[in-house]
Amino acid sequence: QVQLVESGGGLVQAGASLRLSCAASGPTGSIYAMGWFRQAPGKEREFLATINWVGGNTVYADSVKGRFTISRDNAKRTLFLQMNSLKPEDTAVYYCAASFSYHGNHYYTREYDYWGQGTQVTVSS
C-alpha cells in the first residue's frame, strides 16, 4: 500500500510562508490524484487543493485560492503545498492524501484511499 509522510510544518507569524512536502512510497504508479486537506481543532477536515498526478491539473478551495499552490515532482514522488500570506485562521493539522480513483472531483475525504499522519501548522498573529 501507499505510504505518505508529510513534513515542513511549524510555527510562523502571520504573513509568512511555508512549504509542505508529502513523500510517497509504495505502488505510487496507481495514483490518479493527490490532495491537501487540513483540520483545525473542533472542525471537520477541510479540502484545500487537488492535483492530477500525471496531467498536473489543479483545483483549489476558495479559502486558499491565490495564496496556496499545489505541485508535484513525479520523479521524486513528492507532493508540495506552497503557502503564502499565512493567517492565524490557517492554523491546523495539514494532511496529504492519495486517490486511486478516476471518478469524482477529489474534493472530499471519502474519495481518497491513503492519508499521511499530518503536520502541524501554527500561525501566530
Side-chain angles (χ1 to χ4, degrees):
Q1 62 181 23
V2 172
Q3 290 85 40
L4 303 174
V5 179
E6 301 99 335
S7 61
L11 171 63
V12 297
Q13 291 189 331
S17 297
L18 275 176
R19 189 192 197 201
L20 304 183
S21 299
C22 171
S25 60
T28 57
S30 298
I31 294 175
Y32 178 78
M34 294 193 72
W36 285 100
F37 290 75
R38 67 186 178 191
Q39 189 165 18
K43 294 188 176 181
E44 294 188 352
R45 196 164 294 191
E46 175 191 10
F47 166 77
L48 300 177
T50 185
I51 186 167
N52 180 281
W53 193 244
V54 175
N57 297 332
T58 59
V59 178
Y60 296 90
D62 288 343
S63 59
V64 302
K65 195 176 297 182
R67 295 193 300 127
F68 291 9
T69 302
I70 188 172
S71 62
R72 88 276 188 242
D73 183 329
N74 294 68
K76 295 183 179 180
R77 301 193 293 178
T78 302
L79 179 73
F80 302 101
L81 185 68
Q82 177 67 42
M83 305 186 295
N84 299 328
S85 303
L86 284 163
K87 306 173 183 179
E89 52 263 44
D90 293 319
T91 295
V93 177
Y94 284 68
Y95 298 91
C96 64
S99 173
F100 285 6
S101 176
Y102 288 77
H103 302 291
N105 295 317
H106 299 96
Y107 301 163
Y108 304 101
T109 57
R110 64 177 181 267
E111 296 178 294
Y112 290 85
D113 302 289
Y114 298 99
W115 293 83
Q117 82 290 350
T119 185
Q120 176 70 45
V121 172
T122 303
V123 184
S124 63
S125 58

